Amino acid sequence: MYAFKIKGENRLTGSVSVKGAKNAVLPIMAASLLTAEPLHLKNISFLSDVNTMNALLSSLGVCVQTNADELILTANHISSTKAAYDFVSKMRASFWVLGPLLARFQEATVSLPGGCAIGARPVDLYLMALTEMGADIRIENGYVIAKGPLHGAEIFFPKVSVGATHNTIMAAVLTAGTTIIHNPALEPEVMDLIAVLKKMGAQIEGVGTKKLIIRGVSKLSGATHSVIADRIETASFVIATAMTKGKIEINGGRQDLIGAVTDLLLPSQISFQQTDHSLIVDATNACLKSVPVITSEYPGFPTDAQALMTSFLSISTGDARVSEHIFENRFMHIPELQRMGAHIDIIDGHSVFIHGVPELSGATVMASDLRGGVGLVLAGLVAKGETLVKRIYHIDRGYYHLEEKLTQLGADIQRVHLDD
Ligand code: UD1
């Protein structure tokens, strides 16, 4: 088991690079199942979730080739349409092969993901949309068994779901007839999936609006695509710089994708400068101020940055409420932050109240999920003394060697092996 050992109180300075977004590359990788031709992806970070998706696609017969930061996926000899429990239980995004497999092969057997650390996370919306499109779906032995053929349909999502939007779009692009999706997710990662699908020959209108119109085609081709920058990794470096009162340049960073985050930092005297290829964050004159945080769908404040902002608010002047509107159980990191000296009242599963304190103190803490784990790392960067963040396999799911990037910025952080 590995952990991060952090000695706090170093300002972050220098430059760092962010690569393609985990949440964009995963659905795009699933989209490789829609064509027999190669899908050539660039700007890839080989995080553990990307490796898990590669392993899943390989188990289906997809040829996976990697080279530096590129990935070529060729689904010309699919040998199985079954996504096993081992993959889906490890990473929920594995479930997203359901739509493309069903559209192309008229059948798919995909393990149900089950619960997860941040809430129940059902898949009812995925199944509702595919059923509307004519799929015959039954659940047996923990698996969704779906059979086609599919047809175009008009789908109304009662709630915005990123994953259900990805899955339905992927099913619809290769399904005869017109599919209309009302209330799709508008996250930049959905836009990136659509951009790839269009390069592959998909016909999609209404992109960026609350009504997508998809005219199914009988065949899609291969494509080459550079994956959109990871806005949550960018936000992580931005908030870490704010907390340590540093100044950094984030190559590949895009402020337009994280406006809801940077807006909340402006009252703390943190400035941002966007260049052609980077985002410069200057917090050298910062005076951290508490601000309320309400998570919501894009372009609102991202739930994936909530834990990061909770750490920021822990050491800001004043009190602030954090309201989590997307997931029901996303405060698992709070008891660990409290152990570092944060003053936080948990009001209920959807909100906490944070009373800023002047400083945190290092402690041994445990990551319980990906973003909560990074929140603890940020707290460790400013805490007095030493912090040990355990269970960092959660963090490795979404960040490629986070410790190397933070070390490059002047942090004192090491990956250490623990016996237990
Ligand atoms: C994706 C992101 C995750 C991000 C989340 C919200 C990836 C790999 N993961 O997760 O990082 O935090 O979007 O931006 O891209 N829901 C239902 N029924 C469904 C599907 C979802 O009720 O069938 C609910 C969920 O429980 C949750 C809400 O809808 O409360 C939003 O979830 P969703 O947008 O689907 O999240 P994911 O796609 O799983």
Side-chain angles (χ1 to χ4, degrees):
M1 204 75 109
Y2 286 92
F4 285 144
K5 191 177 3 167
I6 307 166
K7 288 203 182 93
E9 300 187 279
N10 289 329
R11 279 175 194 249
L12 297 192
T13 54
S15 69
V16 71
S17 296
V18 293
K19 303 287 267 183
K22 168 181 93 72
N23 289 357
V25 74
L26 295 174
I28 292 171
M29 290 170 75
S32 68
L33 291 165
L34 289 165
T35 175
E37 294 179 19
L39 183 60
H40 188 157
L41 303 177
K42 299 182 176 182
N43 199 28
I44 306 295
S45 208
F46 288 95
L47 330 149
S48 70
D49 272 9
V50 170
N51 296 334
T52 301
M53 186 59 102
N54 273 338
L56 165 59
L57 293 174
S58 289
S59 78
L60 304 177
V62 176
C63 169
V64 176
Q65 294 165 279
T66 60
N67 177 22
D69 67 348
E70 299 190 8
L71 180 60
I72 302 172
L73 302 168
T74 313
N76 55 351
H77 290 297
I78 291 301
S79 50
S80 165
T81 53
K82 179 173 177 175
Y85 174 74
D86 283 354
F87 296 112
V88 188
S89 61
K90 207 166 173 186
M91 181 184 77
R92 287 180 55 83
S94 307
F95 194 74
W96 298 349
V97 299
L98 175 63
L101 281 176
L102 186 55
R104 182 159 160 218
F105 302 103
Q106 319 303 320
E107 59 170 36
T109 301
V110 179
S111 172
L112 279 166
C116 108
I118 61 172
R121 298 181 84 175
V123 291
D124 55 319
L125 301 175
Y126 296 65
L127 303 188
M128 176 275 284
L130 292 176
T131 304
E132 294 279 330
M133 294 175 72
D136 171 19
I137 294 182
R138 64 198 156 89
I139 293 177
E140 248 177 54
N141 309 114
Y143 280 79
V144 172
I145 302 174
K147 297 227 181 307
L150 301 179
H151 54 70
E154 187 158 12
I155 293 155
F156 296 84
F157 281 125
K159 177 175 191 175
V160 175
S161 161
V162 172
T165 302
H166 285 317
N167 197 65
T168 310
I169 294 173
M170 287 192 277
V173 289
L174 201 61
T175 290
T178 300
T179 297
I180 300 175
I181 304 176
H182 296 273
N183 200 23
L186 297 177
E187 267 61 9
E189 295 75 22
V190 175
M191 300 304 128
D192 210 37
L193 171 68
I194 290 175
V196 179
L197 292 171
K198 284 184 141 189
K199 288 181 187 174
M200 293 166 72
Q203 295 187 11
I204 308 174
E205 287 167 33
V207 179
T209 74
K210 284 307 228 176
K211 182 178 170 188
L212 285 176
I213 302 168
I214 301 172
R215 292 191 175 79
V217 297
S218 57
K219 201 168 170 222
L220 291 165
S221 65
T224 298
H225 184 74
S226 182
V227 176
I228 192 173
D230 195 318
R231 66 191 165 108
I232 305 300
E233 189 185 12
T234 305
S236 308
F237 290 122
V238 164
I239 296 172
T241 305
M243 289 174 69
T244 63
K245 302 192 176 167
K247 179 177 180 185
I248 69 165
E249 178 168 18
I250 306 171
N251 296 312
R254 281 179 51 184
Q255 190 182 1
D256 61 323
L257 301 180
I258 54 164
V261 176
T262 56
D263 281 356
L264 294 191
L265 301 178
L266 296 176
S268 297
Q269 316 295 335
I270 295 158
S271 67
F272 300 94
Q273 189 194 338
Q274 182 73 58
T275 72
D276 285 348
H277 65 279
S278 69
L279 174 63
I280 298 167
V281 189
D282 187 352
T284 43
N285 295 316
C287 176
L288 308 191
K289 284 232 163 50
S290 293
V291 281
V293 175
I294 302 173
T295 67
S296 64
E297 293 91 15
Y298 191 83
F301 189 92
T303 173
D304 286 347
Q306 177 259 104
L308 316 175
M309 202 58 191
T310 317
S311 292
F312 171 94
L313 294 171
S314 297
I315 52 157
S316 296
T317 306
D319 300 335
R321 190 184 182 106
V322 176
S323 308
E324 171 59 60
H325 284 293
I326 306 295
F327 291 108
E328 63 187 12
N329 186 23
R330 218 171 184 182
F331 290 123
M332 305 276 282
H333 55 291
I334 299 291
E336 300 298 276
L337 271 183
Q338 287 169 329
R339 298 186 55 254
M340 296 178 73
H343 285 192
I344 305 178
D345 301 322
I346 301 179
I347 298 165
D348 54 36
H350 288 286
S351 49
V352 297
F353 202 75
I354 305 180
H355 314 275
V357 293
E359 63 184 36
L360 298 176
S361 60
T364 297
V365 291
M366 207 175 274
S368 53
D369 64 271
L370 164 55
R371 307 301 175 185
V374 179
L376 296 175
V377 169
L378 300 197
L381 293 179
V382 293
K384 275 202 175 320
E386 189 173 289
T387 296
L388 192 68
V389 182
K390 294 170 115 178
R391 300 203 176 165
I392 58 171
Y393 55 84
H394 288 296
I395 296 173
D396 290 336
R397 290 188 52 190
Y399 293 75
Y400 187 76
H401 287 289
L402 179 61
E403 76 281 16
E404 288 176 10
K405 292 191 178 182
L406 288 172
T407 300
Q408 188 183 325
L409 293 172
D412 186 342
I413 174 170
Q414 283 175 290
R415 180 178 293 252
V416 294
H417 187 259
L418 303 178
D419 289 332
D420 59 338

